[in-house]
């Protein structure tokens, strides 16, 4: 989906398929950085390949833990063909349409949740999510693959599933009805020592993550919070630079805390509900990865820096000949000041909205 940040595009690359004897396979041919031809066969999607929204398709990022990483695809490789179909002469839109159209038989391994655009505030999202009593947490956790004795104690004879939480390195902006930034959280639950793996993607605002995830965890752990999150400070209000990295680091620490049984079952159940984790009987193959879901999530900070750099170069290249350095510096300074002022105003507004939503949520909890 679209974003106002930068010019990068992340696409879950699909493509023409080569069906082997066991299961469908996707054949992608690359040119390496040394000009050597490399062929890779993929068996699941999304692949985890990220590239700029232009031709030729040059791999700029590889999602950690993806099949692309497992197969040894490297940064800087240029995609040459898909299932024998050459990309020469295609536009980026044609290439991506070709990949998407031919993706049917490839095994789908990730659930993509629809963003709750009708519940953008913390209060509305809290009301929208499934609420449950503590007594219901045990049977609820069982549906996720977790075994608990009660709302406060775990089953000691059974290993918990292995939970991994991270971030898709990007975000998108939605301005209807109000301007908000949505972050894509990537989750994975491994059960039975790798026997089954469920992956999913869910979008949340920073205010959602702070109020409905961070606050309950910090309150539950008390003084022990600093032990589990010592090197994972949570994001600041207003989403300043560094927000994405902080959220990703914090989610990774949260995963470890859950896997070590540091959090009680009832809270883990509420976390899985908040993240819309897939149930055991949910088949990832039943959920189609739509074009909107697979379209590029632009990487936030690095993409912004690259976008700003390109814009500055463009201004310099288009400046009339004979313009002196002082005039150019003045123009750049004015533009930078205006951009900084706009960013500061947006940050202040989002911070105020987050604080107001948190206060409303706390008031409701006190009333309950």
């Amino acid at each position: 989906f679209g974003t106002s940040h930068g010019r990068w595009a992340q696409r879950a690359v699909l493509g023409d398929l080569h069906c082997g004897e066991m299961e469908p396979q996707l054949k992608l041919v690359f040119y390496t950085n040394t000009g050597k031809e490399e062929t890779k066969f993929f068996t699941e999607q999304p692949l985890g390949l990220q590239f700029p929204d232009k031709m030729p398709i040059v791999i700029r990022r590889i999602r950690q833990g993806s099949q692309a990483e497992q197969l040894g695809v490297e940064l800087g490789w240029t995609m040459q063909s898909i299932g024998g179909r050459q990309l020469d002469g295609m536009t980026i839109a044609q290439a991506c349409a070709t990949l998407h159209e031919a993706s049917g038989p490839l095994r789908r391994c990730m659930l993509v949740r629809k963003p709750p655009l009708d519940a953008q505030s913390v209060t509305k999202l809290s009301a929208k999510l499934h609420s449950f009593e503590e007594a219901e947490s045990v049977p609820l956790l069982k549906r996720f693959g977790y075994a608990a004795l009660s709302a406060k104690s775990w089953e000691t004879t059974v290993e918990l599933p292995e939970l991994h939480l991270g971030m898709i390195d990007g975000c998108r902006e939605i301005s209807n009805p109000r301007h908000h930034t949505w972050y894509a959280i990537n989750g994975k639950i491994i059960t039975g020592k790798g026997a089954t793996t469920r992956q999913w993607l869910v979008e949340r605002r920073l205010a959602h993550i702070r109020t409905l995830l961070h606050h309950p965890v910090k309150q539950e752990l008390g003084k022990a919070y600093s032990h589990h999150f010592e090197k994972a400070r949570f994001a600041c209000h207003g989403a300043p630079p560094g927000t994405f990295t902080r959220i990703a680091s914090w989610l990774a620490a949260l995963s470890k805390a859950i896997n070590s049984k540091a959090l009680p079952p009832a809270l883990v159940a509420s976390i899985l509900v908040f993240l819309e984790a897939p149930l055991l009987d949910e088949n990832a193959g039943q959920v189609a990865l739509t074009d909107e879901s697979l379209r590029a999530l632009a990487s936030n900070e690095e993409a912004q820096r690259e976008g700003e750099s390109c814009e500055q170069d463009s201004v310099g290249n288009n400046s009339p000949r004979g313009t002196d350095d002082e005039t150019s510096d003045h123009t750049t300074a004015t533009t930078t000041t205006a951009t900084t002022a706009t960013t500061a105003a947006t940050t202040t507004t989002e911070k105020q909205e987050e604080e107001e939503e948190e206060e409303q949520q706390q008031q409701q909890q006190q009333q309950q």
Side-chain angles (χ1 to χ4, degrees):
F1 37 77
T3 173
S4 63
H5 285 322
R7 302 175 181 177
W8 286 103
Q10 170 186 330
R11 299 182 183 275
V13 183
L14 309 177
D16 265 10
L17 301 164
H18 169 74
C19 295
E21 296 181 1
M22 299 300 295
E23 62 179 336
Q25 293 182 329
L26 165 62
K27 177 183 177 181
L28 294 181
V29 178
F30 300 89
Y31 282 152
T32 68
N33 297 323
T34 60
K36 181 183 176 182
E37 188 176 285
E38 284 280 350
T39 300
K40 301 294 182 182
F41 289 93
F42 292 80
T43 59
E44 62 186 46
Q45 56 171 296
L47 305 184
L49 297 174
Q50 303 174 38
F51 49 87
D53 202 8
K54 63 181 181 180
M55 296 296 285
I57 295 177
V58 180
I59 308 304
R60 295 303 187 195
R61 289 205 178 106
I62 297 174
R63 184 159 58 85
Q64 186 176 4
S66 66
Q67 193 170 37
E69 182 183 58
Q70 296 168 4
L71 292 175
V73 178
E74 298 181 6
L75 301 181
W77 285 14
T78 301
M79 192 181 300
Q80 182 66 17
S81 69
I82 303 153
R85 301 183 65 177
Q86 297 296 317
L87 299 184
D88 291 342
M90 289 190 184
T91 65
I92 186 65
Q94 291 171 335
C96 290
T98 300
L99 295 173
H100 180 68
E101 182 181 359
S103 64
L106 198 61
R107 180 160 50 98
R108 304 178 188 274
C109 297
M110 179 181 288
L111 290 163
V112 179
R113 303 299 193 187
K114 292 183 178 180
L117 301 182
D118 59 341
Q120 297 197 28
S121 71
V122 172
T123 302
K124 288 184 178 180
L125 180 62
S126 179
K128 182 182 178 69
L129 295 174
H130 171 69
S131 60
F132 58 92
E133 301 294 332
E134 278 198 352
E136 301 176 273
S137 58
V138 173
L140 178 59
L141 282 169
K142 188 176 181 180
R143 299 189 64 191
F144 289 111
Y146 286 77
L149 293 174
S150 67
K152 297 182 179 180
S153 61
W154 291 103
E155 173 65 64
T156 57
T157 59
V158 180
E159 290 188 8
L160 293 184
E162 187 178 339
L163 175 66
H164 296 274
L165 296 174
M167 298 279 287
I168 298 294
D169 50 347
C171 57
R172 67 165 170 167
E173 307 291 342
I174 299 178
S175 301
N176 184 20
R178 302 176 72 175
H179 178 85
H180 293 302
T181 302
W182 292 75
Y183 296 90
I185 300 174
N186 180 31
K188 179 191 295 185
I189 298 178
I190 304 173
T191 55
K193 295 183 178 180
T196 61
T197 299
R198 287 164 288 152
Q199 298 187 63
W200 79 101
L201 184 147
V202 63
E203 290 179 88
R204 292 290 185 263
R205 289 180 52 214
L206 177 57
H208 297 154
I209 303 172
R210 183 191 306 281
T211 307
L212 302 178
L213 197 58
H214 169 263
H215 287 356
V217 170
K218 188 173 184 178
Q219 181 178 2
E220 175 64 37
L221 290 175
K223 294 182 178 180
Y225 177 85
S226 59
H227 170 70
H228 294 282
F229 296 88
E230 181 181 4
K231 298 181 180 179
R233 299 186 63 183
F234 194 74
C236 300
H237 284 278
T243 295
F244 170 83
T245 302
R246 284 198 173 197
I247 297 177
S249 177
W250 191 87
L251 288 173
L254 176 63
S255 304
K256 293 181 180 179
I258 293 175
N259 293 337
S260 65
K261 299 182 179 180
L263 299 177
L267 180 54
V268 173
S270 67
I271 290 172
L272 295 176
V273 169
F274 169 79
L275 295 173
E276 296 187 68
L279 303 174
L280 283 174
D281 56 359
E282 233 176 324
N283 185 356
Q286 296 176 348
V287 180
L289 301 180
T290 65
D291 183 58
E292 177 183 0
S293 300
L294 297 178
R295 195 180 290 269
L297 285 168
S299 71
N300 53 349
E301 294 168 16
E302 184 173 339
Q304 289 180 52
R305 290 195 294 270
E306 174 126 352
E308 290 167 1
S309 174
C310 292
E311 290 168 4
Q312 290 170 2
D313 291 342
S314 176
V315 171
N317 293 335
N318 294 332
S319 297
R321 292 184 180 180
T323 301
D324 57 64
D325 293 339
E326 182 179 354
T327 304
S328 299
D329 291 343
H330 174 71
T331 302
T332 303
T334 302
T335 303
T336 303
T337 302
T339 302
T340 303
T342 302
T343 303
T346 302
T347 299
T348 301
T349 301
E350 290 192 350
K351 179 178 179 179
Q352 291 174 345
E353 290 178 4
E354 290 178 17
E355 292 175 344
E356 290 174 0
E357 291 174 359
E358 287 183 37
E359 186 177 351
Q360 292 175 0
Q361 184 69 15
Q362 290 174 358
Q363 291 176 352
Q364 288 187 353
Q365 293 175 349
Q366 291 176 356
Q367 292 175 358
Q368 294 175 354

